[in-house]
Amino acid sequence: MHRPEEKPAPAIRHRRQLRNTGITIALGVVLFTVGAVGLSPSSAGTPDAPASASSSTGTARGIEASRERVKRLPKDPVSWADLGMALVQQARTTADQATYAQAETALRRSLALRSAENLHAEIGMGALAAARHRFRDALTWAHEAVATSPTTPASYGILADAHTQLGQYREAEEAVQKMVDLRPDSSSLARASYAVELRGDTDRAEALMERSLRAAGTPGERAFAHTHLSSLALEGGDAATALRQADTGLALAPLDAGLLEARAKARAATDDREAAVADYTAAVAAAPLPQYLLALGELQQSLGHQDQAEAQYAVLRAQETLRRAGNAPADVDAIHFEADHGDPRHAVTMAEAAVRERPFLAVHDAYAWALHRAGRDREALAQADEALALGTRSALFLYHRGAIHQALGDTTAARSDLERALATDPSFHPLHAPEARAALRRIDDTP
């Protein structure tokens, strides 16, 4: 990974650890806005979404301040690592591949200045790898960070994220528990919430996220907690609470793309779909990420606005061209988009590559749907079962499996999954929720 060097003397190491401790909380905050991918398994886009960030203006100011610092202190590895972390955060909220490259340059510069026991750069490289969906690399960097400082909670955050996305859920839970034991703050409690949500315990997930909100020390942390409390409420069919949580968060961070998405979903659930379009449009303006583009396009399609939908799909196709050119892993939204609005056979190829690198439950679900759309339903069922193996309460996953069961002629299993999907969240998708109701009617009408 990088060349080790002679260990520093104990006194020097102690002083370095004091300095590290002084910014550990800041690292934890940035890490959770950067590296905590997959914080809500219930929708097509969210598993790949970045955690809600504070305003882009604040991020830009932080980057500018970091640039000024490295100009003054060009041989300070911590300053270069801080710049790298700030750039990773910006890239996760703007989908700008060039910014990822700048982040790596800054982090590599930090490692060149201090190749061993460089906690800040190790965590930064882990966050960068996670943001790029290179989770095996993220795991390697997380282990290096833990070895450098076994008592730094942020290191275990990267470790938990990597294990989760690699389908190593027990190991992820152990890392989260260690993080909570070291510091039960907003970041660690939010990860604990997510760990139990994956196993279907949404009541406990909500309680832990409420604790995360109470422990939040920054507007970004509070916005993040409100985003996911809104998501949890909507997963439970409580659109009014989902809307209230999103509105509360947006009062703190009016331009937060994750909160705008949360409010768009809540408004769509209350049939205020034109307002939902406005929120998705604002989210795309703030962060043109695939999940927002796809959600806006499909909502416009459900309203009969085909031209507006195609405008979003055109951007998604352009992003997919860039992804292929850069040989980056496909995300869940790209697979769903190709399966539903492109070539299902190509979606299968994308999903096969994705699940090899990232055997996370949401990727298994996307693979199942691609296989189904390509007419390979027996293979699809195995992947759909894998997606639901932990007991995750996801209306979308259940709908996908229900459609697969129906295609295989198992109407009893299809009815069970489709009814559970609609009971979990009646408005889980602007196109698929009506399709689920239509599928149930067809089953009822079959002699």
Side-chain angles (χ1 to χ4, degrees), residues 283-413:
V284 168
L289 297 176
Q291 73 268 17
Y292 306 146
L293 290 160
L294 182 57
L296 176 57
E298 291 181 330
L299 182 57
Q300 293 278 30
Q301 186 176 338
S302 75
L303 292 167
H305 303 160
Q306 197 59 40
D307 289 346
Q308 292 93 325
E310 284 298 330
Q312 309 309 315
Y313 298 160
V315 178
L316 283 163
R317 292 187 186 99
Q319 289 185 347
E320 175 60 14
T321 299
L322 291 173
R323 181 197 69 78
R324 288 199 302 268
N327 201 30
D331 65 22
V332 169
D333 302 286
I335 296 166
H336 282 153
F337 175 68
E338 192 67 28
D340 285 330
H341 307 283
D343 180 355
R345 291 171 298 178
H346 182 56
V348 170
T349 300
M350 293 164 63
E352 285 171 345
V355 83
R356 282 195 298 269
E357 293 300 313
R358 183 188 173 201
F360 178 55
L361 54 87
V363 184
H364 285 293
D365 171 71
Y367 190 13
W369 190 241
L371 287 164
H372 165 69
R373 295 283 291 168
R376 296 164 59 179
D377 288 297
R378 294 207 176 277
E379 296 166 84
L381 183 58
Q383 293 297 322
D385 286 342
E386 191 71 30
L388 287 158
L390 290 183
T392 304
R393 289 184 60 187
S394 167
L396 187 71
F397 293 4
L398 288 163
Y399 165 71
H400 285 164
R401 192 171 68 177
I404 293 165
H405 277 306
Q406 189 171 28
L408 290 169
D410 188 346
T411 55
T412 300

Side-chain angles (χ1 to χ4, degrees), residues 62-81:
I63 290 171
E64 201 55 42
S66 294
R67 290 193 193 280
E68 289 299 321
R69 183 172 177 82
V70 297
K71 286 180 184 177
R72 295 195 310 271
L73 301 169
K75 294 186 177 181
D76 177 26
V78 173
S79 296
W80 282 105

Side-chain angles (χ1 to χ4, degrees), residues 53-408:
S54 54
S55 74
S56 58
T57 302
T59 302
R61 283 199 299 266
I63 290 171
E64 201 55 42
S66 294
R67 290 193 193 280
E68 289 299 321
R69 183 172 177 82
V70 297
K71 286 180 184 177
R72 295 195 310 271
L73 301 169
K75 294 186 177 181
D76 177 26
V78 173
S79 296
W80 282 105
D82 287 348
L83 174 59
M85 286 291 288
L87 287 165
V88 174
Q89 182 175 355
Q90 183 181 66
R92 281 293 287 168
T93 56
T94 61
D96 184 359
Q97 295 301 315
T99 306
Y100 282 133
Q102 294 173 25
E104 182 170 2
T105 297
L107 292 164
R108 294 285 183 190
R109 177 62 177 160
S110 177
L111 289 166
L113 291 165
R114 181 187 295 157
S115 62
E117 291 196 326
N118 187 340
L119 178 66
H120 304 81
E122 289 159 1
I123 290 176
M125 289 295 287
L128 175 62
R132 287 172 159 174
H133 291 179
R134 297 171 183 169
F135 293 104
R136 288 183 175 82
D137 289 344
L139 188 64
T140 299
W141 284 110
H143 282 304
E144 290 211 21
V146 169
T148 296
S149 179
T151 59
T152 297
S155 304
Y156 295 95
I158 286 284
L159 191 63
D161 296 342
H163 278 310
T164 297
Q165 298 297 319
L166 291 170
Q168 300 161 357
Y169 305 111
R170 188 66 63 190
E171 293 88 340
E173 290 164 0
E174 291 171 357
V176 170
Q177 186 61 59
K178 180 68 174 178
M179 192 181 185
V180 172
D181 290 344
L182 286 167
R183 182 179 293 117
D185 61 4
S186 185
S187 178
S188 61
L189 289 166
R191 276 188 173 83
S193 170
Y194 179 54
V196 298
E197 184 187 356
L198 283 179
R199 295 195 176 275
D201 191 348
T202 53
D203 288 342
R204 189 172 170 217
E206 184 177 350
L208 284 163
M209 194 60 76
E210 289 281 6
R211 288 182 59 193
S212 176
L213 175 60
R214 291 194 295 272
T218 68
E221 286 181 321
R222 287 189 285 273
F224 182 88
H226 283 299
T227 300
H228 292 286
L229 284 166
S230 178
S231 175
L232 285 164
L234 200 58
E235 287 168 21
D238 187 352
T241 297
L243 183 59
R244 185 172 66 253
Q245 288 287 354
D247 279 334
T248 302
L250 284 164
L252 301 168
L255 300 179
D256 187 286
L259 282 165
L260 287 165
E261 179 196 33
R263 189 168 68 181
K265 289 180 177 180
R267 283 175 160 173
T270 58
D271 208 31
D272 191 1
R273 292 190 290 173
E274 293 295 346
V277 166
D279 278 336
Y280 274 128
T281 302
V284 168
L289 297 176
Q291 73 268 17
Y292 306 146
L293 290 160
L294 182 57
L296 176 57
E298 291 181 330
L299 182 57
Q300 293 278 30
Q301 186 176 338
S302 75
L303 292 167
H305 303 160
Q306 197 59 40
D307 289 346
Q308 292 93 325
E310 284 298 330
Q312 309 309 315
Y313 298 160
V315 178
L316 283 163
R317 292 187 186 99
Q319 289 185 347
E320 175 60 14
T321 299
L322 291 173
R323 181 197 69 78
R324 288 199 302 268
N327 201 30
D331 65 22
V332 169
D333 302 286
I335 296 166
H336 282 153
F337 175 68
E338 192 67 28
D340 285 330
H341 307 283
D343 180 355
R345 291 171 298 178
H346 182 56
V348 170
T349 300
M350 293 164 63
E352 285 171 345
V355 83
R356 282 195 298 269
E357 293 300 313
R358 183 188 173 201
F360 178 55
L361 54 87
V363 184
H364 285 293
D365 171 71
Y367 190 13
W369 190 241
L371 287 164
H372 165 69
R373 295 283 291 168
R376 296 164 59 179
D377 288 297
R378 294 207 176 277
E379 296 166 84
L381 183 58
Q383 293 297 322
D385 286 342
E386 191 71 30
L388 287 158
L390 290 183
T392 304
R393 289 184 60 187
S394 167
L396 187 71
F397 293 4
L398 288 163
Y399 165 71
H400 285 164
R401 192 171 68 177
I404 293 165
H405 277 306
Q406 189 171 28
L408 290 169

